Amino acid sequence: MFSTFFSIHQIPKEWSKSIVTPVFKAGRSCDVANYRPISLICVACKAMERVIADQMLSYLRAHNLITKHQHGFMSRHSTVSNLLESVNDWTLALNNSKGIAIVYVDYAKAFDVVCHSKLLLKLSAYGISGDLIEWIRCFLSGRTQCTRVNQSYSSYTSIVSGVIHGSVLGPLLFLLYINDVTDIFSSTCASKLYADDIKLYSVLDNSLDYSDLQCNLNELQQWSDRWQLNISYKKCNVLCLSNQKKSPQIDLILGDNMIPQVHRVRDLGVIMDNRLRFDIHINQGPDFQNILR
């Protein structure tokens, strides 16, 4: 059955329907922006997606097409591997009496605004063609969804952009859409990705010259505009790690917005401060003494 659908580049109409269940993230529960939309889709469709996703991943890995800086939705990668690589780089710099400027960049509703035509263009550039790209084109087009809250359902509406939350293929398609962002950064700036969360950092010497980091942010803004991804400027921060008692002031601009400099930031669930100490994170964590008892 899957082979037939694949060869004719079609899926049943029911497979194109999704029921969206809003899952609360954080903040005020009365604000709809604080909910993550998770789509419930046909199980048979997810089974076919799994077969296709596994084959695509095998091809992408065999040709080293997925950036090594991506840690989201990848096997043997996670928030832990992202943090271990980052903290290792920062520790080495601090041990060499250098500072580090870290910029945290977040996108607004990144999964929902992916342009289908541009996504297919990128897939084609990665060598995905023939029946596969035509099936993916069908998978993305003509989709509808409704929202369910308790036992109440909204009317169905068309989906004209984005990848499907809760699907198997959706995360992989998004990774390929954002995959080339690391290519725009210069060799003096390191980057780490976790899905759409970008962490860009550069080692500062005694002159505190961060002009190269600013140039990379300018490139990132242009790349985001080109691929229609909206940066959530309110969620962007810069953190300067230093052995000095007072961190130097870092004035960086993203688009037309000055990035606020903070003394601490939550990095993939771990609180980082400007001295790279974890006292605040540990004190806010569980009482491990009670756990040991």
Side-chain angles (χ1 to χ4, degrees):
M1 181 180 68
F2 291 165
S3 297
T4 301
F5 292 150
F6 186 79
S7 63
I8 63 175
H9 318 143
Q10 296 291 328
I11 60 174
K13 187 177 180 180
E14 288 300 316
W15 288 15
S16 298
K17 294 182 177 179
S18 306
I19 299 176
V20 175
T21 301
V23 176
F24 181 65
K25 295 186 293 184
R28 300 174 58 194
S29 59
C30 60
D31 187 352
V32 295
N34 292 329
Y35 289 82
R36 188 185 307 279
I38 301 299
S39 297
L40 304 178
I41 58 180
C42 178
V43 175
C45 182
K46 295 180 74 171
M48 184 173 182
E49 287 181 67
R50 171 54 60 196
V51 175
I52 291 175
D54 288 346
Q55 293 294 319
M56 287 179 63
L57 274 172
S58 297
Y59 164 77
L60 294 167
R61 285 173 174 154
H63 294 82
N64 296 318
L65 294 176
I66 296 184
T67 175
K68 63 180 180 180
H69 305 296
Q70 177 62 259
H71 294 258
F73 306 117
M74 297 293 295
S75 62
R76 299 182 181 179
H77 291 76
S78 64
T79 56
V80 175
S81 60
N82 184 303
L83 289 168
L84 283 174
E85 290 184 10
S86 302
V87 173
N88 181 67
D89 291 344
W90 302 340
T91 302
L92 291 175
L94 291 175
N95 287 343
N96 291 323
S97 300
K98 295 181 181 286
I100 308 98
I102 312 165
V103 181
Y104 293 88
V105 179
D106 191 19
Y107 287 105
K109 308 294 182 184
F111 273 59
D112 300 325
V113 298
V114 171
C115 176
H116 291 167
S117 60
K118 292 185 176 182
L119 170 60
L120 293 169
L121 180 66
K122 287 198 172 187
L123 294 180
S124 178
Y126 288 124
I128 297 173
S129 58
D131 290 338
L132 177 55
I133 197 168
E134 293 303 323
W135 186 90
I136 294 175
R137 189 190 308 275
C138 174
F139 174 76
L140 293 172
S141 61
R143 301 196 69 90
T144 58
Q145 67 180 26
C146 71
T147 302
R148 182 181 70 185
V149 177
N150 296 327
Q151 299 303 316
S152 300
Y153 293 79
S154 70
S155 56
Y156 276 90
T157 185
S158 298
I159 304 174
V160 296
S161 66
V163 294
I164 299 89
H165 292 269
S167 67
V168 175
L169 202 54
L172 177 58
L173 294 178
F174 180 80
L175 292 190
L176 291 176
Y177 192 74
I178 201 173
N179 188 61
D180 63 302
V181 68
T182 57
D183 296 337
I184 68 175
F185 301 134
S186 65
S187 58
T188 58
C189 288
S191 60
K192 294 289 181 287
L193 279 70
Y194 189 82
D196 61 322
D197 293 333
I198 299 177
K199 185 164 44 183
L200 185 65
Y201 55 91
S202 179
V203 176
L204 304 176
D205 57 22
N206 294 330
S207 63
L208 295 178
D209 181 11
Y210 48 87
S211 58
D212 188 61
L213 184 56
Q214 180 62 66
C215 290
N216 282 273
L217 290 175
N218 296 339
E219 291 291 334
L220 178 60
Q221 181 65 61
Q222 294 177 17
W223 183 92
S224 302
D225 293 340
R226 185 182 309 119
W227 297 105
Q228 298 176 234
L229 291 174
N230 303 317
I231 297 175
S232 179
Y233 298 104
K234 294 181 179 179
K235 295 182 179 180
C236 297
N237 294 297
V238 58
L239 178 69
C240 185
L241 302 182
S242 172
N243 289 323
Q244 302 175 14
K245 292 184 178 180
K246 185 177 180 181
S247 297
Q249 181 64 32
I250 304 294
D251 296 323
L252 293 169
I253 298 174
L254 189 55
D256 296 325
N257 301 269
M258 180 72 72
I259 306 177
Q261 183 172 346
V262 295
H263 297 294
R264 64 179 66 97
V265 66
R266 186 177 293 275
D267 186 344
L268 298 177
V270 177
I271 300 176
M272 303 285 182
D273 65 15
N274 55 1
R275 302 295 299 276
L276 200 58
R277 296 177 178 175
F278 299 96
D279 307 56
I280 299 175
H281 179 78
I282 293 172
N283 291 335
Q284 291 189 2
D287 186 351
F288 290 103
Q289 294 300 323
N290 291 334
I291 295 176
L292 292 176
R293 292 171 187 169

